[in-house]
Amino acid sequence: MTFTGGTAAALARLRADGDTPVDISRVPAREAAERELSDPRYHENDPNLLQRGLDRFWEWLDDLFGAASGATPGGVLGLVVIVLVAAALVAALWWRLGTPHRTPGSTGDSLFADGPRTARDHRTAAARHASAGRWNEAVQERMRAIVRSLEERTLLEPRPGRTADEAASEAGRSLPSHADDLRLAARAFDDVTYGGRTADEPAYRRVEALDTALERTRPTLDTASTGTPA
């Protein structure tokens, strides 16, 4: 039987004085070798726990990739093409839909976040942003002006925490001829506020025109509306 490395060193320690080795059986030899190899100096260059974990991870990933490429038409090249197509689809959806919207009514989605101001104050702020080309802020302030004006006319009951979507839905019941435009204005507000979109001048002008039209529109009250006409 042949021993190498630490096993040979262990047997060397068991030799008697002189050149004649001690004749030992298999089990004691193995135990002696195990004791010798447990010496810390034989493990100074062993990888640490993190390195071993990373090695296992890369081995698993390599096996997974190999299995996937074997099951994909075209092998590795086919798998790469599929991954690239999937990435392109995700990018296209992200560009088309923008950052996912938060659920209306969740914390932080309130239409008014900076305290009570009049409709006139919001219109003034919107005009100031528009003159500077800050269309996102202009759209936001003009939508706030619309909702505040409806509250001032008692077509909407003032309610803390109301979202743009909720305001548009409630106002559409007493102003049915503008219900669709109200929903579009609320959507524009949500897009620039929560959706990561960028507004432009035409988007702002549409909200501005809606604000002007609503000022000239007499409400149609029904059992679903709140308040009374101004």
Side-chain angles (χ1 to χ4, degrees), residues 92-131:
L93 287 173
W94 190 275
W95 177 83
R96 178 66 180 84
L97 301 177
T99 303
H101 291 198
R102 290 180 290 180
T103 303
S106 62
T107 303
D109 282 347
S110 175
L111 181 64
F112 300 100
D114 54 355
R117 289 194 290 166
T118 66
R120 183 176 181 178
D121 291 336
H122 288 296
R123 291 189 182 107
T124 300
R128 184 171 63 252
H129 288 306
S131 64

Side-chain angles (χ1 to χ4, degrees), residues 4-230:
T4 60
T7 305
L11 291 179
R13 294 185 178 184
L14 296 176
R15 292 179 182 274
D17 293 338
D19 295 330
T20 304
V22 175
D23 186 13
I24 58 176
S25 63
R26 180 185 300 271
V27 174
R30 185 180 67 249
E31 293 175 349
E34 290 173 352
R35 286 194 299 272
E36 178 65 19
L37 293 175
S38 66
D39 193 313
R41 69 173 180 270
Y42 291 114
H43 304 280
E44 292 176 353
N45 297 320
D46 287 355
N48 58 34
L49 182 60
L50 177 60
Q51 290 173 323
R52 291 197 298 271
L54 287 174
D55 289 342
R56 292 290 182 87
F57 171 76
W58 289 119
E59 289 174 3
W60 171 81
L61 196 63
D62 183 63
D63 292 342
L64 181 64
F65 187 82
S69 63
T72 304
V76 175
L77 180 60
L79 181 61
V80 170
V81 170
I82 291 174
V83 170
L84 291 177
V85 170
L89 288 174
V90 171
L93 287 173
W94 190 275
W95 177 83
R96 178 66 180 84
L97 301 177
T99 303
H101 291 198
R102 290 180 290 180
T103 303
S106 62
T107 303
D109 282 347
S110 175
L111 181 64
F112 300 100
D114 54 355
R117 289 194 290 166
T118 66
R120 183 176 181 178
D121 291 336
H122 288 296
R123 291 189 182 107
T124 300
R128 184 171 63 252
H129 288 306
S131 64
R134 297 189 293 267
W135 302 115
N136 281 14
E137 292 84 351
V139 166
Q140 291 171 323
E141 288 299 324
R142 202 74 193 200
M143 183 62 193
R144 289 170 180 142
I146 288 174
V147 176
R148 186 65 78 203
S149 176
L150 294 174
E151 291 177 348
E152 290 171 355
R153 294 171 64 189
T154 67
L155 299 179
L156 284 179
E157 180 182 354
R159 177 163 57 83
R162 176 187 277 122
T163 68
D165 290 327
E166 291 170 345
S169 177
E170 294 168 18
R173 292 195 286 269
S174 57
L175 298 164
S177 62
H178 295 290
D180 291 340
D181 291 333
L182 281 164
R183 283 193 294 270
L184 290 175
R187 178 62 182 271
F189 178 91
D190 288 344
D191 283 346
V192 301
T193 305
Y194 311 121
R197 299 292 186 83
T198 300
D200 53 14
E201 183 174 2
Y204 169 69
R205 297 303 176 193
R206 286 191 292 271
V207 181
E208 180 187 42
L210 173 62
D211 185 21
T212 302
L214 289 174
E215 286 290 289
R216 299 195 297 261
T217 302
R218 296 182 62 82
T220 300
L221 297 181
D222 55 28
T223 56
S225 54
T226 60
T228 57

